[in-house]
Amino acid sequence: MRYHLAPIYCRPWLLNGLSQRLIESHYENNYGGALRRLNAITEKLASLDFSTTPGYVINGLKREELIALNSTLLHELYFASLGGDGKPTEKLAGALANDFGSVDRWRSEFVGMGNALSGGSGWVLLVYVPRDRRLLNQYAADHSQTLAGGVPILALDMYEHAYHIDFGANARAYVDAFFRNIDWAALEQRYEDAAKVAGPRPLIQPEFDGVPGIAVEEVKEMMAAGKPVQVLDVRPRHFVSRQQDIADGIEWRDPEQLQQWIGELDKSEPVVVYCAYGFHIGCKTAIKLRDAGFDARYMNSGHSGWKAIGHPLKRYG
Ligand SMILES: [Fe+2]
């Protein structure tokens, strides 16, 4: 396959404070260079016999492919980020205020990161993270350190070639000029597209279909806020005696002896039960409790979840 040149969406003759000469040089030499390199690497990789090629050759080419491909993609985003009037749309202003506190706060962070790269080089990116459904500013040095699973929607190129023709070493003036030219309407469209990307798939356990789970952080918050909730560790007996630890503030009950302790529970308060990792025993116990009329849920990360969030443990018994 061959990668094709994307058009300069930003109409260089309309930019305010970034010269046509600078943008043309950037597009032709640096973006074009990355694309030419990418196509040469792709061709080379396609010609390799991977069963006989030494590992160091494969490693080098695959690393360079990643760098060239990401440089290509980020340059396309950079040029597509420019060409507007620099005024955030209402939708983006709302999203930035939601995720950063205010547009000014986001701007000062993004500009601060750009200025901090003066005299160095790299990218400053505004990225949408589907996992958390929020925006985040990040650095991407060497073109390749983009957030796994993130969707960049705004790119500021802080490599010297992006500004030296117009600004010499005055990178701050370049960052200001960049902001005057951001195309927020295009950014809003990219944001809408990014927000359609689904987060990681939730764990599906068809055999326990319909049993509601709850996250360990949510259980902890309910307990800390003094909300009524009855939380029980129902790991199988051999787990408790083997691991010898239990989350502080939690009681253990033997899942095999449910009929002996079910009478201790209060039907007017929700119940959360969990096993070692949040699978079978926790789900089965939650089902039995629900069948008995309790508002019961299983904690979907189990005892390991308490440890993973750093909740204090105590010795059991
Ligand atoms: Fe560049």
Side-chain angles (χ1 to χ4, degrees):
M1 83 162 271
R2 234 190 125 64
Y3 292 90
H4 294 285
L5 199 71
I8 313 188
Y9 290 103
C10 66
R11 297 165 208 273
W13 62 95
L14 294 178
L15 296 180
N16 171 13
L18 294 165
S19 74
Q20 201 167 330
R21 189 170 149 249
L22 170 69
I23 299 294
E24 278 175 12
S25 165
H26 194 171
Y27 180 85
E28 293 162 13
N29 297 313
N30 306 98
Y31 165 60
L35 190 89
R36 291 192 297 276
R37 225 164 43 245
L38 176 61
N39 278 324
I41 294 163
T42 307
E43 209 172 298
K44 183 78 191 164
L45 280 166
S47 74
L48 284 191
D49 176 351
F50 281 82
S51 63
T52 55
T53 306
Y56 64 85
V57 175
I58 297 172
N59 288 344
L61 283 166
K62 289 305 287 184
R63 280 196 197 109
E64 289 298 318
E65 179 194 43
L66 176 64
I67 291 170
L69 176 55
N70 248 18
S71 174
T72 302
L73 297 174
L74 292 178
H75 275 105
E76 287 168 7
L77 175 60
Y78 173 74
F79 295 117
S81 296
L82 296 169
D85 62 5
K87 294 190 181 68
T89 61
E90 212 180 305
K91 178 161 186 171
L92 257 295
L96 292 170
N98 196 44
D99 294 340
F100 292 87
S102 68
V103 176
D104 285 347
R105 171 70 204 172
W106 165 76
R107 190 190 151 108
S108 88
E109 181 177 315
F110 195 91
V111 169
M113 289 170 70
N115 289 340
L117 285 181
S118 305
S121 55
W123 293 92
V124 187
L125 306 176
L126 174 60
V127 172
Y128 183 79
V129 188
R131 179 194 192 273
D132 303 316
R133 312 207 74 71
R134 63 152 297 176
L135 293 162
L136 187 87
N137 292 325
Q138 70 148 109
Y139 281 134
D142 201 19
H143 309 293
S144 63
Q145 297 166 6
T146 40
L147 203 61
V151 184
I153 61 169
L154 174 67
L156 167 60
D157 191 336
M158 288 306 298
Y159 287 79
E160 204 185 28
H161 63 241
Y163 57 86
H164 73 102
I165 288 175
D166 285 4
F167 300 94
N170 191 356
R172 284 170 182 264
Y174 158 67
V175 173
D176 282 346
F178 174 84
F179 264 79
R180 282 200 295 281
N181 290 283
I182 293 178
D183 184 348
W184 284 94
L187 215 149
E188 179 174 317
Q189 291 176 335
R190 284 195 295 273
Y191 175 68
E192 283 173 353
D193 292 343
K196 285 182 199 146
V197 176
R201 282 173 184 259
L203 171 70
I204 305 283
Q205 302 189 74
E207 68 275 39
F208 303 119
D209 196 27
V211 192
I214 185 168
V216 62
E217 292 96 335
E218 211 180 318
V219 176
K220 186 167 186 162
E221 277 164 26
M222 285 171 85
M223 289 167 67
K227 286 190 186 159
V229 59
Q230 308 167 86
V231 187
L232 290 175
D233 178 337
V234 296
R235 280 175 290 168
R237 179 176 288 279
H238 69 272
F239 256 99
V240 184
S241 50
R242 184 156 59 83
Q243 294 196 344
Q244 305 267 318
D245 62 14
I246 186 165
D248 197 21
I250 308 284
E251 296 286 324
W252 177 75
R253 292 288 179 273
D254 187 346
E256 300 291 327
Q257 309 289 331
L258 184 129
Q259 289 312 324
Q260 289 180 14
W261 50 264
I262 195 169
E264 300 167 10
L265 296 173
D266 180 348
K267 273 193 182 152
S268 68
E269 292 184 0
V271 181
V272 173
V273 289
Y274 62 88
C275 51
Y277 309 111
F279 298 111
H280 294 79
I281 307 297
C283 291
K284 278 186 187 161
T285 308
I287 289 171
K288 284 181 193 158
L289 290 170
R290 293 179 78 78
D291 288 347
F294 289 91
D295 168 16
R297 283 178 280 179
Y298 75 99
M299 198 173 81
N300 59 22
S301 54
H303 178 68
S304 284
W306 285 119
K307 293 201 211 176
I309 65 166
H311 185 82
L313 303 174
K314 63 180 184 195
R315 282 190 77 76
Y316 180 71

